[in-house]
Structures are given as structure tokens and as C-alpha cells.
Amino acid sequence: MKFKRGDPIEVVDMGPGFLGSFYDGTIISRVGKETYIVIFRTLLEADQSGLLREFVKANKIRPKPFDVLVSAFDLGEKVDVFANDGWWVGRIISKVGESECLVHFDSTNQDILYPFSDIRVHQDWDAANKLKHLLFCWCGSMLGDNW
């Protein structure tokens, strides 16, 4: 997939301690065939002088996922949680009241409590570069056979 200047994107980090985390950014420009300059929305330069800009390979970039509004998450549902400046993949293991969920992270084997507002529906980016989002799953069940 080709991106253009101004496209909102996410960059995956597969490094130690960051496995499977995603960071919001914007395409600044394309450099060569497979590389882009990205400015991150939440990450800062090492000297804290401004937002981080990096050269990023195209295979580490995906379009910013759709905003999917939900009123609740199901137990066992795969989700993304916003923490430490990025989105981290986990699973809902319990609900605490109306506004919090306990999320398990396989990458760290931790269970952490998060407010509902920091959790979003997980959306995968497949090898064919198409978003496979859960919208169709829950939308279909809500609308029945009429969609």
C-alpha cells in the first residue's frame, strides 16, 4: 500500500519490550520505494525538543484503524489499550463495574485494569494490506439478516 503526505497511520514496534505495540503518526513524505518519514503524535525526540520524526519502512506502517464505537466489550475479546504513548494488544478477562476492564497482555503475561475510554476494538492488518475489523462481526449480529 502506498501512503501520501498527511495520511494518519500507525507504526508497529516489534522490538524487545514493545512487541506488537502501535504508535500514532502522520506521513510527512516518501523516501525511495519502501520508506517514509513519519512524525509521531505521542512520541518525543530523545532530547524532548519536539515530536519524534523517523524513517520507517513501509512494512511497519498501517493506516490508522477505523473508529469503532462500542458500548461494551465481551470477555475474551481481543482489544487494544492506549498506554505508554501507544496501543497494546490484549484480551478482556473481566469487567469491573460499568467503566473499567481487566486486560491480559500475552506479550508480558500481565493483567492490568484500564478505564473503558482507553480501550478500543482490535483491528488486524493482514498480509494483503486490507483492514479486517470487527465492525462487521458485531454490526451483523446487531442488524440481523437485513445488512
Side-chain angles (χ1 to χ4, degrees):
M1 173 168 211
K2 293 185 179 177
F3 298 97
K4 63 183 183 312
R5 180 179 179 83
D7 282 349
I9 52 92
E10 289 186 347
V11 176
V12 65
D13 190 337
M14 299 303 283
F18 298 96
L19 182 63
S21 57
F22 291 89
Y23 297 88
D24 292 334
T26 302
I27 297 293
I28 298 296
S29 65
R30 186 170 167 191
V31 181
K33 218 174 180 185
E34 297 292 323
T35 304
Y36 293 87
I37 298 175
V38 171
I39 186 167
F40 291 90
R41 189 176 65 81
T42 58
L43 301 178
L44 297 176
E45 295 284 353
D47 64 3
Q48 308 285 310
S49 62
L51 294 175
L52 178 64
R53 293 173 187 245
E54 279 191 335
F55 290 91
V56 180
K57 294 287 187 189
N59 65 352
K60 302 272 188 198
I61 300 173
R62 72 178 191 176
K64 185 176 181 336
F66 300 107
D67 289 330
V68 179
L69 300 176
V70 295
S71 58
F73 292 103
D74 294 326
L75 293 180
E77 184 173 349
K78 194 173 186 180
V79 295
D80 297 333
V81 174
F82 192 78
N84 300 318
D85 300 319
W87 292 98
W88 299 77
V89 179
R91 289 200 184 277
I92 302 291
I93 57 172
S94 72
K95 298 176 187 178
V96 179
E98 295 293 318
S99 61
E100 295 180 310
C101 292
L102 189 62
V103 179
H104 177 77
F105 299 93
D106 288 335
S107 60
T108 60
N109 198 31
Q110 290 180 301
D111 301 337
I112 303 174
L113 189 64
Y114 287 97
F116 191 84
S117 59
D118 289 347
I119 304 171
R120 72 178 184 190
V121 172
H122 178 75
Q123 301 173 62
D124 285 324
W125 182 247
D126 70 16
N129 291 333
K130 296 178 182 174
L131 264 179
K132 299 187 302 186
H133 55 88
L134 299 179
L135 174 62
F136 297 112
C137 297
W138 66 263
C139 194
S141 66
M142 290 174 65
L143 297 176
D145 295 330
N146 296 326
W147 71 295

